[in-house]
Amino acid sequence: MRSNTTARIARRRSFRVAAAVLTAAAALSLTACNNDEKAAGQAGQSSSSGASGGAQGSDDKGKEGGGSAHAGVERCRTENLEAAFATGEDALPDRNEDGGATTATIVLMNKGTSSCRIGGFPGVDLTSINGGERWSLARSSQKWSSLEVEAGQSTEFTLNLAFTKEEEGFYQPAWVEITPPNETKSLKIEWPWENDSLVDQRSATHPAIFVNPVG
């Protein structure tokens, strides 16, 4: 009996030791995962933070975005992007609705050889037909999140516009300069509606013409 009791006690002690080892190993594994995720989040925030304002694009942390979801993926650089207005039938602005208020879509294609990360507000500047009047569009209050764009794929953002047929108080764009979020170099594309003028709201406190975020 004594030997059997001793054997049972020994087995229970072995089970307790084994359980303690497994618990310790799980705790160490969880701590390592948390540390890895924390480091990845910090790396993502560090690589995506930057100045905003002026013609610069901004991935302003005051909205939403960044984080570790795309850690290790480089942000989309201007030289690896190509911009164009979406001119498909479904994407064309409808100037006859709501007194000329409508939206236009600008597509950003990743022409690089690897995926890139993008999110936030692009800087958008309009240049008038005479080349001397620049209009830096205001930004909306929409939230956004970073997204990953594979090589050869595209993402997009929209402009809220207000067209007018009046002969006074209008602005006729000729070119659009787009600065991707967190970049300083711009992409220049032609304004596709040369016969359509915008309401001149350059001095408006709450303009109806503004840019929405990518992502």
Side-chain angles (χ1 to χ4, degrees):
M1 289 290 292
R2 182 174 298 174
S3 61
N4 291 338
T5 303
T6 303
R8 285 197 298 271
I9 293 172
R11 284 198 297 272
R12 284 199 295 268
R13 286 177 178 173
S14 298
F15 290 150
R16 285 199 296 268
V17 170
V21 170
L22 289 174
T23 302
L28 288 173
S29 176
L30 181 59
T31 302
C33 289
N34 288 338
N35 288 338
D36 288 345
E37 290 176 0
K38 182 178 180 181
Q42 291 173 343
Q45 291 174 358
S46 175
S47 64
S48 63
S49 61
S52 63
Q56 282 187 320
S58 169
D59 60 353
D60 181 10
K61 294 297 175 186
K63 302 296 180 183
E64 181 181 336
S68 61
H70 309 287
V73 179
E74 291 289 332
R75 74 169 182 266
C76 296
R77 307 278 182 175
T78 302
E79 55 266 27
N80 291 327
L81 293 173
E82 186 174 292
F85 275 95
T87 55
E89 184 175 349
D90 293 339
L92 289 174
D94 187 349
R95 304 158 190 76
N96 298 318
E97 287 190 0
D98 299 325
T102 186
T103 60
T105 300
I106 295 179
V107 177
L108 295 175
M109 188 184 77
N110 178 9
K111 63 178 184 178
T113 57
S114 59
S115 297
C116 63
R117 171 179 51 82
I118 193 169
F121 287 86
V124 177
D125 287 343
L126 305 181
T127 303
S128 66
I129 197 166
N130 62 14
E133 298 181 21
R134 179 178 291 269
W135 183 355
S136 295
L137 297 189
R139 295 166 182 167
S140 72
S141 58
Q142 283 189 18
K143 292 184 177 181
W144 55 270
S145 58
S146 293
L147 55 88
E148 188 173 328
V149 185
E150 296 181 0
Q153 299 301 308
S154 61
T155 185
E156 62 189 34
F157 65 94
T158 59
L159 304 178
N160 277 53
L161 303 175
F163 286 97
T164 181
K165 297 179 181 179
E166 300 296 329
E167 296 184 359
E168 296 182 359
F170 69 90
Y171 182 96
Q172 179 60 62
W175 299 94
V176 182
E177 293 183 12
I178 301 155
T179 309
N182 214 23
E183 289 288 288
T184 56
K185 295 180 181 179
S186 300
L187 300 165
K188 189 174 183 179
I189 59 176
E190 191 172 4
W191 179 257
W193 306 290
E194 60 182 12
N195 296 321
D196 293 309
S197 302
L198 297 176
V199 179
D200 190 349
Q201 295 186 327
R202 285 174 291 171
S203 59
T205 304
H206 300 290
I209 298 175
F210 51 83
V211 59
N212 296 304
V214 181

